[in-house]
Amino acid sequence: MNQKKSMYKLLILVLLMSCFCVNAQEQNHDFSIGIRTGFGSEFKNRNYSFTNNYYKLVLNYNLKSTKNFSYEVVVQPEVNFGTHQLLNFYFVTPDEENYIERRERFTKLKDINQYILNIGFLVRKPIYKYFSVFAQASVGPMISDVETERLSKGFAFSDVFAIGLSFELNNFKIEVSPNVRHVSNASLQSSNAGFNTKNIEFGIQYKL
């Protein structure tokens, strides 16, 4: 139910942003707006499991275009729904306070909601009339609503590196993008091992 409510809010936000951008930047193809959805899981390890699916609102601004490349700034508000479980309870060591209770609590499968605002830079290269490839790096603040043995509840950061393929038709752009994602809190809180995931996402954008 919470996922459905968040998706509805995201769709409403997309519509509102579309109306705003159309009014503010009629036929200005430097801007594009869209949505993406993706899913993934942790890199293989013996300590934990983590799976996630997510939804993003995507806002792109084309800084500069040359014959061979274009350079874009990307803003991506995101809602990420994850499931996590501690597999190796020895990860919680006896020197930690209430370590037995923490082991019991963290080894249970749990849902985690993460709210993210990633800001990044994208380089795109056309490879055919309707196709292009791109690489993107982004980072941004994140709020996580559940404490785990790897990441404290509350403020953290999300770092993403992605590559992708775009197909463009008129003002629409369809994209497929594998990516890797790291979340941690830069040691601002006690638990900071973080999560590392590999993901695949699909999106559609409209050039304004």
Side-chain angles (χ1 to χ4, degrees):
M1 183 62 69
N2 288 335
Q3 291 188 20
K4 288 184 179 179
K5 288 182 179 179
S6 297
M7 188 56 183
Y8 292 149
K9 290 179 181 178
L10 183 62
L11 290 174
I12 291 171
L13 184 58
V14 169
L15 293 173
L16 291 174
M17 289 299 297
S18 298
C19 294
F20 173 78
C21 291
V22 167
N23 289 331
Q25 298 288 337
E26 274 190 38
Q27 300 302 316
N28 185 345
H29 292 330
D30 288 340
F31 287 88
S32 65
I33 186 169
I35 55 174
R36 291 185 184 179
T37 182
F39 59 91
S41 62
E42 81 285 348
F43 287 91
K44 187 175 181 180
N45 70 91
R46 66 185 184 88
N47 290 322
Y48 72 97
S49 69
F50 187 92
T51 61
N52 65 308
N53 63 90
Y54 56 88
Y55 304 94
K56 295 179 178 180
L57 171 66
V58 182
L59 302 170
N60 283 40
Y61 175 69
N62 186 16
L63 287 173
K64 181 179 180 181
S65 293
T66 66
K67 181 179 179 180
N68 296 315
F69 296 97
S70 64
Y71 305 92
E72 304 171 23
V73 173
V74 184
V75 180
Q76 296 180 330
E78 175 184 334
V79 181
N80 194 302
F81 306 102
T83 58
H84 165 70
Q85 186 173 21
L86 173 64
L87 301 178
N88 175 20
F89 65 81
Y90 290 112
F91 189 88
V92 180
T93 56
D95 60 320
E96 297 182 41
E97 186 178 356
N98 301 321
Y99 78 95
I100 294 178
E101 181 274 332
R102 288 169 65 85
R103 283 178 174 177
E104 181 179 354
R105 174 157 51 94
F106 292 146
T107 51
K108 295 178 180 177
L109 186 67
K110 58 182 65 63
D111 294 328
I112 303 173
N113 297 326
Q114 298 171 338
Y115 308 94
I116 305 152
L117 178 61
N118 268 23
I119 300 173
F121 185 72
L122 183 150
V123 179
R124 187 184 304 276
K125 178 175 176 56
I127 57 173
Y128 191 64
K129 186 175 182 180
Y130 301 113
F131 290 92
S132 64
V133 294
F134 64 87
Q136 177 184 324
S138 59
V139 63
M142 180 186 85
I143 299 295
S144 185
D145 70 351
V146 173
E147 179 189 16
T148 75
E149 81 288 350
R150 304 188 64 83
L151 191 67
S152 298
K153 179 179 178 180
F155 186 79
F157 296 96
S158 171
D159 309 319
V160 179
F161 178 77
I163 57 175
L165 175 67
S166 294
F167 171 72
E168 191 169 327
L169 184 62
N170 297 324
N171 287 340
F172 288 94
K173 189 181 296 178
I174 299 172
E175 298 184 331
V176 179
S177 176
N179 68 75
V180 292
R181 176 176 177 257
H182 170 73
V183 298
S184 61
N185 58 40
S187 297
L188 296 176
Q189 301 191 66
S190 56
S191 298
N192 188 41
F195 297 102
N196 299 296
T197 58
K198 55 188 185 300
N199 308 284
I200 182 75
E201 68 181 50
F202 306 89
I204 184 168
Q205 288 183 243
Y206 180 76
K207 293 194 298 184
L208 302 175

